[in-house]
């Protein structure tokens, strides 16, 4: 967050951190993580990020989009998702 950069605020960064932390927590607490359960969590975090992006005037741009994608997929793969496909694209609006 640079001086004069109004794209990011303490509020939208905190809201994003809350969504991402919740995603990590839900993944780590999955009982017998199946691909179906993992994909459902991916869908949920993407939809929550869609809502935040709209609420905070579309602050997710190219660099953030790539970083979020990598984070979401990495965490899903750590708990057992086997695909390399971009499963996020189906729900992503940012």
């Amino acid at each position: 967050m640079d001086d004069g950069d109004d794209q990011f605020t303490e509020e939208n960064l905190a809201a994003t951190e809350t969504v991402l932390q919740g995603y990590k927590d839900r993944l780590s607490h999955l009982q017998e993580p199946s691909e179906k359960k993992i994909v459902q969590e991916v869908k949920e975090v993407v939809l929550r990020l869609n809502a935040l992006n709209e609420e905070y005037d579309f602050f997710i741009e190219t660099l953030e989009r790539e970083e979020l994608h990598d984070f979401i997929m990495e965490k899903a793969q750590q708990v057992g998702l086997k695909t390399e496909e971009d499963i996020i694209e189906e729900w992503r609006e940012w």
Side-chain angles (χ1 to χ4, degrees), residues 8 11 14 25 38 45 56 58 76 78 82-83:
F8 301 108
E11 188 177 3
D25 292 346
I38 296 168
V45 74
Y56 291 105
F58 305 98
Q78 287 173 353
K82 301 293 185 213
T83 187

Side-chain angles (χ1 to χ4, degrees), residues 54-71:
E54 186 173 337
E55 179 181 347
Y56 291 105
D57 201 26
F58 305 98
F59 70 102
I60 300 174
E61 295 188 353
T62 303
L63 180 60
E64 296 79 30
R65 188 175 307 126
E66 292 170 6
E67 290 175 348
L68 287 167
H69 177 276
D70 291 348
F71 177 87

Side-chain angles (χ1 to χ4, degrees), residues 17-66:
E17 178 63 28
T18 298
V19 167
L20 295 177
Q21 187 60 51
Y23 170 66
K24 284 176 34 179
D25 292 346
R26 286 188 307 280
L27 284 177
S28 70
H29 290 100
L30 283 177
Q31 300 295 323
E32 301 178 32
S34 65
E35 186 152 322
K36 183 178 179 178
K37 289 178 184 177
I38 296 168
V39 169
Q40 182 57 42
E41 291 301 335
V42 169
K43 179 181 179 180
E44 184 65 31
V45 74
V46 171
L47 295 177
R48 288 178 183 195
L49 288 168
N50 286 347
L52 280 183
N53 194 43
E54 186 173 337
E55 179 181 347
Y56 291 105
D57 201 26
F58 305 98
F59 70 102
I60 300 174
E61 295 188 353
T62 303
L63 180 60
E64 296 79 30
R65 188 175 307 126
E66 292 170 6

Side-chain angles (χ1 to χ4, degrees), residues 2-20:
D2 296 329
D3 287 339
D5 182 2
D6 60 358
Q7 174 183 353
F8 301 108
T9 65
E10 293 293 333
E11 188 177 3
N12 67 22
L13 291 175
T16 303
E17 178 63 28
T18 298
V19 167
L20 295 177

